[in-house]
Amino acid sequence: MTTYLAANDAPPRNTGHIKIYSLEDFDAMEAACQLTAKCLDAVTELVRPGTTTRELDRFIRNFGHDHGVVPATLNYRGYPHSSCISINHVVCHGMPSDKPLKNGDILNIDITFIVDGWHGDSSRMYIAGTPKRAAERLVDITHDCLMAGIDAVKPGNHMGAIGAAIERIAHAERCSVVRDFCGHGVGTLFHDAPNVLHYGRADEGIEMKPGMIFTIEPMINLGKPHVKILRDGWTAVTRDRSLSAQFEHSVGVTEDGCRVFSFSPIGLHKPLTSNG
C-alpha cells in the first residue's frame, strides 16, 4: 500500500513513501531547476564539431562554481564528473572524455545542480553540426514523447498514464522505449520514490496527488530497446548500436495539472538550429 507523507514529516532518505511538497517547496525546486536550465542554455553555443565532452563538462562545473552551487553527479557513488554526456548510441550516463565531437553527432547533456538543498534535474539533446535526417527525426520524436508524458500529469491519473502516452507516440513512429531506466522522485533527495516508468498502461501505478515532484526522462531508440552497461560501470549503450535520444524535465503535480520546473527561460527546449 502506497503511503503519502508531507515532505516535512518524511525521513531525509528514500523510504518508498511518496513525499508531498508545499507551494513554497515548489518555488524552491523551480529555482534550482532554473539554474540548471540556464546552464543548459549556456552550453548550447559550445556544442560543435571539434569540442570535447570533457570541455563541456568543465564548463558545467565552472558554471556551478560561479553560482555557488555544486553538481549532484560529482562524486555521486564514485562518479567523477559534473554531468552525464551521452553521444549517439549511448543511452544515458555517458562519461565525458577527450574525444572530440564529430559533425552530425547528437548528444544528451544531463545536469543536476543542488541549490539550497534542492536538486534541479534536467537534460536536453544537442546537435553538433548538421545531423542526418534519421537523427534529427529521433530528437524530435523524443521531445514529443516527453511532452506527451508531461501532458498526462494531473491529480487522479495513475503514473502509468505517463508511460502509456510516451509509448503510444514512440511506437507510432516505429521507435522503441528503453525499459532499463526510469524517471524518479526528486527534490531534497537526488533519487526518491516513486519510479516513473516510460511505458505501461494508463490504469497502472500509484495515483498522482498534488504536491508530488518527479522527473520524466524518456530514452527513445531508433532500433530495439535493449541496452548494456560498459566496463566503466556507468555508460549504457544500445545493444544494436542504434541511435538513442533523451529529454528530461522535473515536474510537480498541481491541483489541476502539472508545473514544469525546468523549462528553458529563453525557449531552448530542443535543438532548433545546428551549430557549424
Side-chain angles (χ1 to χ4, degrees):
M1 181 177 178
T2 302
T3 302
Y4 301 82
L5 291 177
N8 288 340
D9 297 332
R13 61 186 184 279
N14 185 351
T15 61
H17 298 113
I18 308 301
K19 293 183 176 67
I20 300 297
Y21 291 95
S22 67
L23 290 177
E24 291 77 13
D25 294 336
F26 271 34
D27 290 341
M29 183 64 183
E30 184 162 62
C33 287
Q34 280 300 293
L35 185 62
T36 295
K38 289 175 182 176
C39 185
L40 289 167
D41 288 345
V43 81
T44 302
E45 292 300 319
L46 303 179
V47 177
R48 56 174 58 90
T51 300
T52 70
T53 52
R54 194 180 301 280
E55 290 174 308
L56 299 178
D57 188 68
R58 186 181 303 116
F59 174 86
I60 292 162
R61 183 178 66 251
N62 290 339
F63 184 98
H65 181 268
D66 291 345
H67 289 81
V69 301
V70 296
T73 56
L74 187 61
N75 299 320
Y76 178 77
R77 298 182 179 176
Y79 187 79
H81 303 289
S82 298
S83 61
C84 296
I85 303 180
S86 304
I87 305 174
N88 294 334
H89 71 289
V90 178
V91 175
C92 61
H93 304 157
M95 301 180 77
S97 74
D98 292 322
K99 184 177 181 180
L101 295 172
K102 300 190 299 294
N103 183 56
D105 281 345
I106 61 172
L107 58 153
N108 175 272
I109 301 180
D110 191 344
I111 305 173
T112 304
F113 283 132
I114 306 173
V115 180
D116 296 327
W118 295 87
H119 293 73
D121 193 359
S122 185
S123 80
R124 293 184 209 158
M125 293 299 297
Y126 298 80
I127 298 169
T130 304
K132 294 182 179 179
R133 177 56 192 144
E136 192 173 35
R137 173 176 169 268
L138 175 65
V139 170
D140 288 341
I141 291 167
T142 304
H143 189 262
D144 289 346
C145 286
L146 171 65
M147 298 312 297
I150 288 172
D151 285 344
V153 176
K154 60 185 64 176
N157 276 2
H158 292 272
M159 295 296 291
I162 297 170
I166 290 168
E167 203 168 37
R168 184 165 54 251
I169 288 180
H171 289 178
E173 296 291 344
R174 302 181 303 283
C175 293
S176 63
V177 180
V178 172
R179 295 188 169 215
D180 296 68
F181 301 97
C182 62
H184 52 87
V186 68
T188 52
L189 293 181
F190 193 3
H191 297 99
D192 205 352
N195 289 336
V196 182
L197 304 183
H198 302 122
Y199 59 90
R201 298 200 321 262
D203 59 353
E204 293 178 323
I206 65 169
E207 181 182 339
M208 297 183 220
K209 294 192 175 184
M212 292 173 60
I213 297 177
F214 49 83
T215 70
I216 304 175
E217 46 186 296
M219 288 144 271
I220 308 299
N221 297 346
L222 274 182
K224 295 181 179 179
H226 312 298
V227 307
K228 65 178 180 180
I229 308 299
L230 299 186
R231 291 181 179 178
D232 60 28
W234 288 99
T235 307
V237 300
T238 55
R239 283 189 173 273
D240 60 6
R241 296 188 66 82
S242 64
L243 289 178
S244 185
Q246 179 188 22
F247 284 91
E248 175 185 13
H249 278 309
S250 292
V251 305
V253 183
T254 64
E255 293 293 336
D256 58 359
C258 175
R259 180 171 167 183
V260 181
F261 301 120
S262 47
F263 275 144
S264 163
I266 57 174
L268 297 178
H269 308 308
K270 66 175 183 176
L272 301 177
T273 59
S274 300
N275 295 319

